[in-house]
Every structure is written in structure tokens, then in C-alpha cells.
Amino acid sequence: MSNSELGFDGKVAIITGAGGGLGRQHALMMAARGALIVVNDLGGAVDGSGSDKGAAQLVVDEITAAGGEAVANTDSVATPEGGEAIVQSAVDAFGTVDIVINNAGILRDKSFHNMTPDLVDPVLDVHLRGAFNVTAPAWKIMRDKSYGRIVSTSSAAGIFGNFGQANYGAAKMGLVGFTNVLAVEGAKYNVRANAIAPLAFTRMTEDLLGSLGEKLQPELVSPLVTYLSHESCESTGRIYSVGGGRVAEVFIAECQGYTDTEGLTPESLRDNWDAVTDQTGYEVPSAIAEETAMFLKALS
């Protein structure tokens, strides 16, 4: 590939939660490269309460002042109707949608023994159902025209775990499963889907990161999102950790394991547990068929 700049030439991108933090930086970077942006933001607090219709418009003003094109949308991702309305905004303003960046998020942290449904449901609604609600109507358009790029925002809190975030971690890992299936189903339609696990200093993380935060500016996440959103990017069904200028693939692998087709017992597992958990010679299946093939090989 040449060193020519990756431009977006009028491609239409919906970015949820783009009134601040990561989403705003994604919007600014992609708009500067010629993408037409739907800046979606309800303008709520970090915990999802309230709304401020001005947050999205301020980012649109920033983009237009820099010579780009964007429209504001203040619908909530948390309902199917909101998702439809967000995608309709893109169609009304720009005629189509090429890129969906699922970035909207809220936090309601509590240790699990104190976690109540009012802390769980809104987090699942925004992060996980929000991705379903916005991506579903966009998917129809992408599938029909055989083109699309989807980037969903996962988190190390789900992939690796983090104290006080059972709700958030479950939603974020759910987005990995969502991404994997979209990658499989979108393959023949040139629709690619990837997930990122960002580490950045935003209002959602300022209390957690302390002095490290200075190195973790949100604009250092946007180059990855921009690349994954570009038509030249072949990646699909992958997860990338990103922060502070570092980008690394994260993958879910499977050991070769221990096989006993005749008499597997709890005791034989106890005695061969080292083989079950031996990580040498692992494989990284790209879909369930490849994982099933590992069983067929072991059982034949």
C-alpha cells in the first residue's frame, strides 16, 4: 500500500456518543478527511441521566468551521426507535450510510454484591442494545449496496475484567460477540466489523486514570477507528486494544486441549488438567466452523 493519505471522499459515518471524548475526536478526524458525519449525542451525564441537546451541535459547529460537513442528532441509542431515527438522520442529510461507529456509553459502577437492576439495565441498553438499535437499520442499507464498515467500542473491563464493572464488562464483551457474528454475516457483502478496546482520558475515565491520563488523550484512539472505517481496511471480526499511541490486536484463542473419546471422567480431567490448559500450540478460530474443525481433528 502506498503512503497516500486515507481519505473518505463523501462516505457517510454515524458516530454515536460523539458530543465529547472519543466520539468527538473520531468525528473531527474523519470529517477532516472528507467523511460526512452524523454526530449523535443525547448529551446526558456520565451515568446516562439528563440530556443536553447542545453537545452534538457544538461538535457539528467545530466540523463545519473547519470546512467539513456534519449534522447533529440527539436521539437515544437505547431504543429501537432512537436507532432508526439516528440512521434516518444520515439518510435524510446525506442519502445513505457507509460507516457506523458504536461509541455511546454510560457508567454505573458498583461492586457486584451491591449491583441492582437500575444499574444493570441502562448500561446494557446503551452499550449493547444501543449497538443493535443503530447498526440494524444501517445494516440493511449496507447489505443492499454491498458496502459497510462497523466499529464497536468494547473494553478491557469486559475482555480481561475490572472491579466494580460487571454490568459494563458484560455489555462490552457482548459487543465482541456482536462483532464476530457481523463479520461472518457481512463477509460476502463487503461489510466489515471490528471492535476496539480503548484506553483514554475522558470524563468517563478521569477518576480512574490519574497521572497516566495525560498520556492517554482520546485523539490517540481515533487513528485506529479511522483506519478500521476505511474502505481499504481488510480487517474484520478482530479486536484491537488502543491507547496513548499504542495499538495491539487482542485475540481469543483455544488450546489443543485433552481428548479422551472413550472414558472422560472428572478424575481423568483432574489428572490431565495441564493438557487442558496448555497454551502452547493454540489456535485462533475466525468463526465457529474453524473451532468445530478443531473438535473433528481431535475426535477423529
Side-chain angles (χ1 to χ4, degrees), residues 240-257:
Y240 299 95
S241 177
V242 52
R246 172 183 179 266
V247 180
E249 184 174 1
V250 176
F251 53 89
I252 297 170
E254 187 162 327
C255 303
Q256 293 303 327

Side-chain angles (χ1 to χ4, degrees), residues 156-178:
I159 301 167
F160 301 113
N162 193 32
F163 190 93
Q165 295 195 308
N167 51 359
Y168 179 81
K172 287 306 199 185
M173 202 58 194
L175 286 169
V176 172
F178 177 72

Side-chain angles (χ1 to χ4, degrees), residues 168-190:
Y168 179 81
K172 287 306 199 185
M173 202 58 194
L175 286 169
V176 172
F178 177 72
T179 296
N180 288 339
V181 173
L182 294 193
V184 171
E185 292 189 15
K188 67 179 180 186
Y189 299 104
N190 189 23

Side-chain angles (χ1 to χ4, degrees), residues 278-293:
D278 180 3
Q279 293 182 8
T280 54
Y282 65 78
E283 292 188 33
V284 184
S286 66
I288 200 168
E290 286 189 16
E291 200 250 0
T292 306

Side-chain angles (χ1 to χ4, degrees), residues 11-232:
K11 289 274 193 292
V12 179
I14 293 169
I15 306 176
T16 67
L22 291 170
R24 172 175 165 267
Q25 294 298 337
H26 305 339
L28 293 174
M29 178 171 278
M30 290 172 65
R33 289 165 175 265
L36 311 174
I37 312 288
V38 175
V39 177
N40 161 263
D41 205 298
L42 182 65
V46 169
D47 70 357
S49 61
S51 66
D52 170 13
K53 305 294 191 215
Q57 188 57 47
L58 285 172
V59 176
V60 169
D61 294 345
E62 244 183 300
I63 288 169
T64 49
E69 276 189 73
V71 295
N73 172 283
T74 57
D75 290 289
S76 170
V77 302
T79 67
E81 299 73 26
E84 290 277 358
I86 292 165
V87 174
Q88 194 58 49
S89 288
V91 173
D92 290 347
F94 304 122
T96 190
V97 58
D98 300 291
I99 298 157
V100 170
I101 297 168
N102 292 307
N103 170 76
I106 63 171
L107 287 178
R108 296 199 179 182
D109 295 358
K110 258 304 193 275
S111 59
F112 186 57
H113 76 280
N114 289 320
M115 193 165 281
T116 47
D118 62 303
L119 301 175
V120 176
D121 294 337
V123 170
L124 291 175
D125 284 345
V126 174
H127 292 276
L128 186 54
R129 293 192 183 95
F132 275 83
N133 293 336
V134 177
T135 310
W139 181 264
K140 294 184 177 72
I141 296 168
M142 291 174 173
R143 204 170 167 273
D144 285 347
K145 68 178 185 177
S146 290
Y147 184 82
R149 297 290 181 267
I150 297 157
V151 181
S152 296
T153 310
S154 182
S155 171
I159 301 167
F160 301 113
N162 193 32
F163 190 93
Q165 295 195 308
N167 51 359
Y168 179 81
K172 287 306 199 185
M173 202 58 194
L175 286 169
V176 172
F178 177 72
T179 296
N180 288 339
V181 173
L182 294 193
V184 171
E185 292 189 15
K188 67 179 180 186
Y189 299 104
N190 189 23
V191 179
R192 306 197 202 288
N194 294 282
I196 65 164
L199 191 57
F201 185 78
T202 68
R203 63 184 184 146
M204 276 178 65
T205 58
E206 62 189 344
D207 297 338
L208 306 170
L209 290 172
S211 58
L212 179 64
E214 292 159 34
K215 294 184 174 155
L216 297 170
Q217 294 309 311
E219 54 268 33
L220 293 172
V221 173
S222 301
L224 172 63
V225 172
T226 299
Y227 178 56
L228 292 174
S229 300
H230 196 263
E231 60 189 334
S232 68

